[in-house]
Amino acid sequence: HADVAMYHAKEKGRNNYQFFNAAMNEKAQSQLSLANKLRVALNRKIIHPHYQLKVDTQLGKPVGLEALARWNDERGKPISPVHFIPVAEEHGLIARLGKSVLNQVCIQIRMWQDMDVEFGSVAVNLSAQQFRDANLLNDIKEAIEDNRIDPTSLEVEVTENMVMDDVEDAIRILNDIKEMGLKIAIDDFGTGYSSLSYLKRFPVDTLKIDRTFIRDLSIDNDDAAIVSAIVSMAQKLEINVVAEGVETQEQVEFLRSINCNVVQGFLYAKPCAGGEVPLVWHRMIEEFEE
Ligand code: C2E
Ligand code: MG
Ligand code: MG
Ligand code: MG
């Protein structure tokens, strides 16, 4: 859109162009240049998933992983997916990016299966556009078949808002994914606008409580109440719960007191490269055994 607008402004004369150029906000400009860099990065295949452990503090062991896209610029500085995922969506690059992450994850799973490495399951984040993309099911099916992986070792994460956008359609897509054997998690739970009655209709295995609720658990009684309510509701619906962004022992203790045992956060592990996962996984088990 910006390109077209610029073209028209340019046609009207230099002044208009300059006016438009100046008026074009900084954000749009930096997004445009980020989109160009992203295109190059995709061509060079330098965006790779890293993996963060999910830990069961009751069982005292890791139970799975979440794949998180990682991209370093030419100077080696990381660019956050918080920035480049929306840009990928706005500039028609999300399909390629999403497919690339999915394929790399499936290749990694195949390697771990071959090496008899424990990893539980791997969750892949889907973006809103990816979720509604008619090719999604085929892409997943292909990635699974090409790499001969067990579909139950793969999980997708979608956000509340993504499924609430068109509930009937979302239920259909989620059922199809579920039928292939994958597990389904609702990410950033609590930040969106899903209602409990809908939750029952979605074939959901896991709710991931957004880290904004976990962050202030020990000082904010409201957050503690919300998290407790989510956990007890999920238990009644027989849905698993994962607490995101756990950084302190205090948070773990509160979560354990309300029977929320599976957590993900820097307290236990930061996302790491696929090659490091076996080491991190086993170190974690040893730490719990001490
Ligand atoms: P998310 O799916 O909710 O992922 C969790 C984010 O929280 C990750 O950020 C992770 O590094 C971060 N995190 C984990 N533990 C802690 C903690 O203890 N403290 C804090 N402060 N943060 C923690 P990351 O990797 O920057 O990703 C941000 C978001 O970008 C993700 O949120 C997800 O929505 C999106 N994203 C990342 N990779 C992909 C991808 O491959 N595809 C899509 N569509 N989205 C992705
Ligand atoms: Mg996620
Ligand atoms: Mg999340
Ligand atoms: Mg998030």
Side-chain angles (χ1 to χ4, degrees):
H1 301 283
D3 290 336
V4 176
M6 177 114 63
Y7 178 72
H8 287 306
K10 225 172 179 174
E11 272 193 329
K12 286 184 188 165
R14 185 92 192 136
N15 285 339
N16 260 330
Y17 170 68
Q18 277 174 341
F19 170 76
F20 178 78
N21 206 16
M24 190 172 159
N25 64 53
E26 224 169 275
K27 198 179 167 195
Q29 282 197 40
S30 77
Q31 294 225 333
L32 208 57
S33 89
L34 191 57
N36 290 331
K37 283 206 277 181
L38 183 55
R39 204 169 281 118
V40 174
L42 284 168
N43 289 338
R44 292 191 182 152
K45 301 190 187 336
I46 58 165
I47 300 177
H48 303 294
H50 275 205
Y51 300 87
Q52 188 180 29
L53 268 64
K54 285 176 279 185
V55 180
D56 188 320
T57 61
Q58 182 78 39
L59 299 176
K61 61 171 197 172
V63 289
L65 303 163
E66 176 176 12
L68 297 157
R70 289 292 176 266
W71 172 27
N72 294 335
D73 71 11
E74 57 281 357
R75 288 181 195 146
K77 196 175 127 277
I79 303 172
S80 169
V82 173
H83 295 124
F84 68 77
I85 297 291
V87 168
E89 286 226 309
E90 279 155 40
H91 292 81
L93 298 169
I94 195 67
R96 276 178 72 195
L97 177 55
K99 211 172 159 178
S100 162
V101 169
L102 180 66
N103 283 327
Q104 293 184 69
V105 165
C106 289
I107 289 168
Q108 182 65 77
I109 290 176
R110 172 78 264 163
M111 279 164 64
W112 286 332
Q113 282 180 355
D114 286 345
M115 297 188 298
D116 254 331
V117 165
E118 250 190 290
F119 62 92
S121 63
V122 185
V124 173
N125 291 282
L126 298 183
S127 80
Q129 273 182 44
Q130 219 184 335
F131 182 58
R132 303 286 173 179
D133 188 331
N135 295 319
L136 174 69
L137 292 166
N138 233 339
D139 288 350
I140 295 175
K141 196 161 169 271
E142 249 177 50
I144 287 174
E145 286 176 358
D146 287 354
N147 297 290
R148 292 163 293 113
I149 67 163
D150 179 355
T152 60
S153 59
L154 198 59
E155 184 167 351
V156 295
E157 294 190 5
V158 295
T159 65
E160 276 180 285
N161 290 345
M162 277 162 58
V163 293
M164 291 306 291
D165 219 28
D166 178 345
V167 172
E168 296 310 320
D169 200 39
I171 291 174
R172 184 188 56 76
I173 300 166
L174 291 175
N175 277 331
D176 286 347
I177 294 174
K178 191 79 195 151
E179 246 164 56
M180 275 195 273
L182 280 75
K183 284 177 278 183
I184 293 165
I186 305 281
D187 205 357
D188 305 341
F189 190 77
T191 59
Y193 54 94
S194 72
S195 77
L196 307 187
S197 60
Y198 277 118
L199 210 51
K200 241 177 39 179
R201 300 184 51 205
F202 295 123
V204 167
D205 300 283
T206 303
L207 296 182
K208 300 188 76 177
I209 304 175
D210 192 71
R211 77 181 147 86
T212 53
F213 297 104
I214 308 302
R215 194 180 46 212
D216 303 325
L217 265 188
S218 53
I219 50 168
D220 190 326
N221 288 331
D222 291 344
D223 285 349
I226 291 166
V227 170
S228 302
I230 293 173
V231 171
S232 71
M233 171 201 68
Q235 274 170 351
K236 281 178 195 121
L237 295 172
E238 294 181 310
I239 297 173
N240 302 314
V241 179
V242 177
E244 293 190 313
V246 171
E247 293 181 356
T248 70
Q249 198 56 47
E250 246 182 326
Q251 291 165 342
V252 175
E253 269 147 33
F254 174 80
L255 290 164
R256 286 188 63 164
S257 77
I258 59 164
N259 257 314
C260 178
N261 299 315
V262 182
V263 306
Q264 185 181 341
F266 295 165
L267 178 66
Y268 291 99
K270 291 202 163 166
C272 66
E276 289 176 62
V277 165
L279 187 71
V280 176
W281 189 282
H282 282 285
R283 208 184 276 148
M284 179 85 59
I285 292 173
E286 278 164 18
E287 262 170 47
F288 273 111
E289 279 168 357
E290 269 166 22

